[in-house]
């Protein structure tokens, strides 16, 4: 086995995994705190990429600089969706109905994306991202290096916010036991809206990074939603560390199987890993960050 | 609520007989396009009834029923290519159906044992993953011809056009699905499943063989869905992974059921009829808006009428009867 090739594959998997992690962390947070599986997650990611594209075209804003704007826009959309539809569904029906609501929302949002931007494949790449770097025989291009770095920075920011800030403590408390958190003066409805908004914001930010590396179209949303789910099931529910672990595993499974078994096999392996983990340990390797592990 | 296995009222029998007679005469009066619409309502409405055998009673909502649909279509289609070419197409279809039933039985049993231990959302997603795995396998291995697709033999019966013929085949499956569902609902199993839907742990504690009942419902549902796949494959004449392993089929079954009213026989059928007519006739020229409309209907139903149209009708009926008897 060729050592450099193996190393290159591992590095590629790491980079892919970092991006998967960021794209899944919002999904993971919503699932951990609200118990809702957000099937509109993939559309949030794509919406982020498209808003970045629009900002680039209209204002000439660099994709990386657009991340805060995109984060805010998506946070408002996500918060509004939770406040109006998701909370109503959870109150009236069960958590299962929230699947239907978010799926319905994803269909509408995707159609809006198609109407606004057309069904074509787009890309966010900039010229300065195309430079390649050679580090000890391993080739890394600027876009991927930037993407990995930005992903890690954003994940670290979320981890710090969740653990060190007051609002992060309130989010964790609500996830553990919303009733008891309410007794301590936490407005759990506000926390739910906030969590949904922040998660949508992270999805949008990851959309920018995905757009810098890969071309995207409005029809990719199911792929990203499923990826997020696989990441959460592999790593663990509700925490940035779980998302990071799951994302890295997903990235490595994907690059190793396509390098050493065949370029058409990663999906089969990924879904088999998903099914296996669901059966063995449905809350991921790290379990649920907020509840006692099953 | 009536006793779960009380006598079916004469009115229901009469209505069913009238509807059946109308359904048999319909294909001789409609245009081919209209027959094709009716075909889809029968096929997908019937499959939604089959989906309900587990999802209608309990919270085990399969988001991957297209796995069995595609399995049936691929099993029958690939078998037809291996069979002696001199056999008549009807025999091929019959052998293919038996093969697909056997295969769906084995697949459902194999997947049920791990997957039925998962609850709620985890079950839903595991089924979604199962459907994706089957779809990926048919695309990845060349033996299945999933990417390029392959033809199925054309079934011909003298005196009937192709649309009429498949209309009647779908009608047959539709009636079978309804009969099985009604039998299931009125049996001990249906009662047990309803208990599982209310509280699975309590049901198990009270001595209901929960695992066995879930398994029976799941396997019945899977097998009937696979037969739907066989017939659909033959009606298309050419199938690929993209035409039978479709997430939107899985989701539409749930949508039809939710729209009409979960747990009822008429609900999914009304739901299917409404959505199919709405998307294909009313919005036929506005293809861009299909998905948006589906999404909007889904959201509106969940928020405004969680028990579906049948639930709304029952509420209105109760209110009128209450008013007639002078109750508030």
């Amino acid at each position: 086995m060729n050592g450099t090739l193996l190393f290159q594959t591992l590095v590629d998997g790491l980079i892919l995994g970092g991006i998967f992690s960021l794209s899944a962390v919002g999904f993971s947070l919503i699932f951990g705190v609200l118990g809702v599986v957000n099937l509109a997650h993939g559309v949030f990611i794509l919406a982020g990429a498209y808003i970045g594209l629009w900002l680039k075209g209209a204002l000439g804003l660099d994709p990386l600089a657009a991340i805060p704007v995109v984060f805010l826009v998506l946070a408002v959309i996500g918060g509004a969706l939770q406040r109006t539809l998701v909370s109503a569904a959870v109150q009236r029906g069960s958590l299962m109905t929230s699947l239907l609501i978010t799926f319905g929302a994803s269909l509408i949002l995707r159609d809006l994306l198609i109407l606004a931007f057309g069904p074509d494949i787009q890309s966010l790449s900039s010229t300065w991202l195309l430079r390649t770097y050679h580090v000890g025989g391993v080739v890394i291009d600027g876009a991927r290096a930037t993407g990995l770095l930005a992903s890690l920075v954003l994940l670290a920011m979320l981890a710090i916010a969740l653990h060190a800030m007051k609002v992060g403590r309130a989010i964790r408390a609500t996830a553990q036991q919303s009733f008891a958190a309410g007794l301590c003066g936490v407005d759990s409805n506000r926390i739910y809206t906030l969590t949904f908004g922040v998660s949508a914001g992270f999805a949008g930010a990851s959309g920018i990074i995905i757009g810098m590396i890969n071309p995207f179209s409005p029809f990719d949303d199911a792929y990203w939603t499923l990826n997020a789910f696989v990441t959460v099931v592999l790593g663990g529910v509700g925490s940035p560390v779980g998302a990071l672990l799951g994302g890295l595993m997903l990235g490595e499974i994907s690059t190793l199987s396509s390098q050493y078994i065949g370029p058409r096999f990663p999906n089969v392996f990924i879904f088999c890993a998903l099914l296996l983990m669901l059966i063995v340990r449905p809350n991921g390797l790290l379990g649920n960050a907020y509840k006692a592990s099953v | 609520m009536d006793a779960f296995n009380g006598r079916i009222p004469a009115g229901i029998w009469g209505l069913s007989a009238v509807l059946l007679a109308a359904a048999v005469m319909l294909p001789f009066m409609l245009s081919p396009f209209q027959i094709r619409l009716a075909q889809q309502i029968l096929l997908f409405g019937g499959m939604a009834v089959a989906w309900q055998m587990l999802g209608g009673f309990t919270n085990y909502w399969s988001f991957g029923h297209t796995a069995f649909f595609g399995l049936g279509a691929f099993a029958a289609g690939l078998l037809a290519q291996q069979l002696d070419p001199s056999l008549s197409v009807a025999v091929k279809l019959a052998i293919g159906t038996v093969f697909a039933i056997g295969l769906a039985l084995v697949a459902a049993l194999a997947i049920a044992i791990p997957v039925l231990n998962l609850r709620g959302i985890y079950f839903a997603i595991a089924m979604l993953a199962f459907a994706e795995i089957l779809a990926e396998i048919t695309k990845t291995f060349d033996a299945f011809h999933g990417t390029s697709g392959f033809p199925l033999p054309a079934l011909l019966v003298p005196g009937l056009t192709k649309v009429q013929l498949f209309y009647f085949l779908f009608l047959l499956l539709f009636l079978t699905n309804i009969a099985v569902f009604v039998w299931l609902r009125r049996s001990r199993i249906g009662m047990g499943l309803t208990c599982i839907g209310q509280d699975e742990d309590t049901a198990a504690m009270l001595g209901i063989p929960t695992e066995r009942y879930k398994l029976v419902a799941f396997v019945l549902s899977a097998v009937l869905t696979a037969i739907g796949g066989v017939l659909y494959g033959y009606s298309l004449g050419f199938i690929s992974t993209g035409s039978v392993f479709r997430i939107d089929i899985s989701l539409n079954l749930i949508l039809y059921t939710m729209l009409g009213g979960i747990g009822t026989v008429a609900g999914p059928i009304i739901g299917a009829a409404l959505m199919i007519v709405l998307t294909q006739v009313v919005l036929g020229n506005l293809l861009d808006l299909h998905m948006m409309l589906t999404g909007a209907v889904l959201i509106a139903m969940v928020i405004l009428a969680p028990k579906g149209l049948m639930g709304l009708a029952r509420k209105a009926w109760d209110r009128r009867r209450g008013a007639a008897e002078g109750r508030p």
Side-chain angles (χ1 to χ4, degrees), chain B residues 188-232:
Chain B
R188 264 188 94 76
I189 302 178
M191 198 57 167
L193 287 169
T194 309
C195 296
I196 293 171
Q198 284 168 359
D199 188 336
E200 184 164 352
D201 294 325
T202 310
M205 196 189 73
L206 292 174
I208 293 169
T210 52
E211 298 302 318
R212 184 147 47 90
Y213 284 0
K214 285 191 295 186
L215 189 67
V216 169
F218 184 74
V219 169
L220 275 178
S221 175
V223 165
L224 290 167
T225 309
I227 302 175
V230 175
L231 295 181
Y232 185 69

Side-chain angles (χ1 to χ4, degrees), chain B residues 267-280:
Chain B
I269 303 160
I270 295 171
L274 212 65
M275 279 316 287
I276 288 170
V277 170
L278 206 59
T279 51
Q280 310 230 341

Side-chain angles (χ1 to χ4, degrees), chain A residues 123-138:
Chain A
S123 165
L124 265 178
S125 68
S126 302
T127 43
W128 64 271
L129 294 171
L130 296 176
R131 283 182 53 190
T132 53
Y133 304 92
H134 295 262
V135 184
V138 175

Side-chain angles (χ1 to χ4, degrees), chain A residues 24-38 158 162-163 171-172 175-176 195 228-247 274 277-278 281-294, chain B residues 121-122:
Chain A
V25 73
F27 184 87
S28 169
L29 202 59
I30 292 178
F31 193 25
V33 177
L34 284 84
V36 167
V37 167
N38 176 21
L158 179 63
L162 277 177
H163 285 272
I171 288 178
R172 284 187 293 138
Q176 268 178 359
T195 306
F229 198 88
V230 180
T231 304
V232 169
V233 170
L234 288 180
V237 178
S239 69
V241 181
L244 190 62
L245 185 65
L274 171 66
M277 278 304 281
L278 274 173
R281 205 177 151 80
N283 276 326
L285 279 182
L286 297 184
N288 190 320
Y290 306 119
K291 300 191 169 68
S293 191
V294 266
Chain B
I121 282 163
Y122 290 109

